[in-house]
Amino acid sequence: LHIAILASILCLVIYWLIRDSRRVRNLSGKHVFITGCDTGLGNSLAKWLDKRGFCVIAACATEKAEQELRSCSSLSLKTVSLNLADSNSISRAVVFVTEETAGKGLFGLVSHAEGTAPVAPTDWLKIEDFHSVLDVTLLGLIEITLKLLPLLKKAEGRVVNLINAKGLMAFVGGGYGLSTWGMEAFSDTLRVEMQHFGVKVSIVQHGFFKAGLVNSDVIEKYLIRLWNRLTPEIRDSYGEKYFTE
């Protein structure tokens, strides 16, 4: 019994030592760039890291979101406009981050994009519908990661890709599930390749949030629009009852 107790205490001590060794210290001067900070998880994370003492660079899609975020944060938090579907916007954001880090490199990149619509049965969709999601939630995040890798390597920083667990469930057609699985594959590959440079790559699969329920109204509007544009043949194959239920 005594040996079991001692073994348990030893395990706890080892756990605490490992945990403390992984804790980030001297947060002042460490820059973290976060995408998708208009609302939700990205917005909350930017505020939390700012309070912890990080130099946060928050990317927002609208000027209003930038102003609101700056109004409730410290002066060290900076915001930048970012449209992940636009390569020029991505390039401008990278220049801004490069100037803000001033040769120190980038300690952290947190990628978060929650574009979900349109989601619908696959044969309701056109290739443009896939592009509207994949260009942001997959290709856009990949592009900005690639362009920031030199700064991350310089600081031996880390990449954290936030992925909603609902995107891993193949229950509906569209680009959202494809982008989620794509970011998983991209992250896994990048993790192996960046080990040589001391850059850590992580995936955080977060759960469901009440803020995400707002998306249900958007999804419903998309479904109605997609239903109305279907050819009579496809609509008849499903029937009105399929859509109303």
Side-chain angles (χ1 to χ4, degrees), residues 7-219:
S8 299
I9 294 173
L10 180 60
C11 288
L12 283 173
V13 170
I14 293 173
Y15 166 76
W16 284 328
L17 290 174
I18 293 174
R19 184 193 62 179
D20 289 342
S21 69
R22 293 177 178 272
R23 184 171 295 171
V24 178
R25 305 183 190 280
N26 301 320
L27 306 183
S28 178
K30 287 183 167 61
H31 288 82
V32 178
F33 178 62
I34 309 171
T35 68
C37 293
D38 293 75
T39 58
L41 189 57
N43 183 276
S44 299
L45 180 62
K47 294 174 182 176
W48 187 77
L49 290 179
D50 176 58
K51 291 179 181 179
R52 292 291 302 274
F54 285 98
C55 297
V56 176
I57 306 173
C60 300
T62 65
E63 176 62 28
K64 180 181 178 181
E66 290 186 57
Q67 292 175 353
E68 290 177 349
L69 189 53
R70 288 196 300 266
S71 68
C72 59
S73 305
S74 73
L75 294 176
S76 66
L77 184 143
K78 308 295 182 182
T79 62
V80 61
S81 175
L82 177 62
N83 177 4
L84 285 169
D86 182 358
S87 290
N88 291 327
S89 177
I90 291 174
S91 295
R92 288 192 293 269
V94 170
V95 169
F96 183 85
V97 173
T98 303
E99 292 174 350
E100 285 294 319
T101 54
K104 300 177 183 177
L106 184 62
F107 178 76
L109 166 62
V110 182
S111 291
H112 179 247
E114 272 294 280
T116 60
V119 290
T122 300
D123 61 348
W124 292 22
L125 302 171
K126 298 178 180 179
I127 192 63
E128 293 81 7
D129 298 317
F130 286 89
H131 274 294
S132 67
V133 178
L134 293 172
D135 287 350
V136 174
T137 57
L138 179 59
L139 298 178
L141 291 181
I142 290 175
E143 182 175 354
I144 200 164
T145 302
L146 295 177
K147 290 183 175 179
L148 289 173
L149 279 179
L151 294 179
L152 289 160
K153 288 160 70 174
K154 186 168 188 176
E156 293 189 358
R158 64 278 331 271
V159 177
V160 180
N161 290 322
L162 304 180
I163 295 174
N164 197 318
K166 68 185 179 183
L168 299 174
M169 296 181 284
F171 62 90
V172 71
Y176 187 62
L178 296 176
S179 64
T180 303
W181 284 101
M183 282 307 294
E184 288 261 353
F186 175 73
S187 302
D188 290 343
T189 302
L190 191 66
R191 182 183 304 112
V192 175
E193 296 170 343
M194 288 295 108
Q195 284 180 350
H196 175 73
F197 302 99
V199 176
K200 299 179 178 65
V201 179
S202 302
I203 300 169
V204 176
Q205 295 179 2
H206 61 84
F208 298 85
F209 293 90
K210 289 184 178 180
L213 297 178
V214 178
N215 291 334
S216 62
D217 294 333
V218 176
I219 292 172

